[in-house]
Amino acid sequence: MDGTLVNSDAVVERCWRRWATDHGLDPEEALKVVHGRQGYATMAVLLPDRPMEENYADNRVMLARETADVDGVVPVGGAPAFMAAIAGLPHALVTSADSALAAARMGRRRAADARGARDRRTGVGQQAGPRGLPQGRGRAGLRGGGLHRVRGLRGGHRGRPGGGMRVVGVGPRAAALAPDAHVDDLTRIRVEATEDGTIRLHIAEH
C-alpha cells in the first residue's frame, strides 16, 4: 500500500519526528531507519535496551496517530486508474497496516476505492499479525483467491509453490531490491485481461 498505491511519507515523517523528539533522539537520524519497517521494529533499533512489550504498546499509540493524520497522504501517480483497471479482476491488497490505517489511507482523496482491498472473488481482510504482515483472515483470503501470502518484494519471488511471482517494484525505494521490473509510479502500467483468464501488466517505456 504505502509507496505503491499511496504516498504517506508526510504523515510518517511527521509522526516519527515527534516520537524521536519525545524520546530525546535526533529526528533526522530516526528517519533513516523508519521506512520499510514496522513501528515496533523501528523502536527496537532506536531504543535497543527497551523491552519489546513497551515497543508494542508505543506502536499502538503511533498507529492511532498515523490513522488520525491523513494530511499530505496522496495517491501514487496512476494509482486511481490502476485500481479501476483491476476492480473486476482477482486481486489482493497485502499490507502491514491494520484495517483502520489502511482504510484511512486508501480512502484519502480517492487514491482507490476502499473496496479495492476486498475483491468480489478474492476476499482479503487486513489483519496485521505480530510480525507485521496479514495473518488469519488475510492469509486465508490470499490462499482462497488463488494468490499466496507475500512478505515484501523478496517474498513475492518465493510466494507461490513451484516458482514464485513476478514482481514489479514501484517507487525509488523498491529499485534497490532487485524487482523483475521497476517503475517510478503506476502511470506506466497498463492492465490487460485476456480471454483465457490471464492477467497481463504492460509496462510502457519512459
Side-chain angles (χ1 to χ4, degrees):
M1 180 180 69
D2 292 299
T4 302
L5 295 174
V6 296
N7 183 335
S8 57
D9 283 0
V11 174
V12 171
E13 294 184 4
R14 186 160 53 243
C15 289
W16 279 98
R17 285 179 189 278
R18 174 181 172 184
W19 182 90
T21 300
D22 289 346
H23 289 81
L25 301 173
D26 181 347
E28 297 307 316
E29 290 301 311
L31 291 181
K32 293 178 181 179
V33 299
V34 164
H35 295 289
R37 283 188 174 90
Q38 278 288 293
Y40 60 80
T42 296
M43 294 170 186
V45 171
L46 296 172
L47 298 174
D49 297 326
R50 191 166 77 158
M52 279 303 297
E53 289 306 316
E54 291 187 27
N55 293 335
Y56 290 136
D58 213 359
N59 188 53
R60 288 191 289 271
V61 175
M62 179 65 75
L63 277 174
R65 287 177 179 173
E66 290 192 26
T67 300
D69 185 355
V70 292
D71 186 24
V73 175
V74 295
V76 166
F82 178 80
M83 291 301 294
I86 67 171
L89 304 173
H91 66 277
L93 172 65
V94 180
T95 175
S96 61
D98 64 13
S99 296
L101 181 58
R105 289 184 178 171
M106 290 294 287
R108 181 62 174 170
R109 296 191 182 181
R110 297 187 180 274
D113 189 322
R115 293 170 298 176
R118 186 175 292 277
D119 180 85
R120 64 186 180 189
R121 287 171 285 175
T122 305
V124 177
Q126 295 134 323
Q127 191 71 23
R131 297 186 183 223
L133 287 163
Q135 309 282 330
R137 289 182 300 127
R139 190 170 181 178
L142 286 170
R143 289 198 300 267
L147 301 173
H148 298 266
R149 186 166 176 248
V150 178
R151 183 178 292 280
L153 190 150
R154 291 193 181 98
H157 289 142
R158 305 187 301 270
R160 184 180 69 230
M165 306 177 199
R166 299 190 67 189
V167 177
V168 177
V170 180
R173 297 188 189 102
L177 299 176
D180 297 297
H182 177 260
V183 293
D184 295 329
D185 57 29
L186 295 172
T187 57
R188 291 174 53 205
I189 295 182
R190 179 172 62 85
V191 180
E192 176 192 11
T194 64
E195 292 183 359
D196 65 2
T198 301
I199 300 171
R200 296 175 178 169
L201 297 184
H202 297 270
I203 302 176
E205 296 296 331
H206 285 287

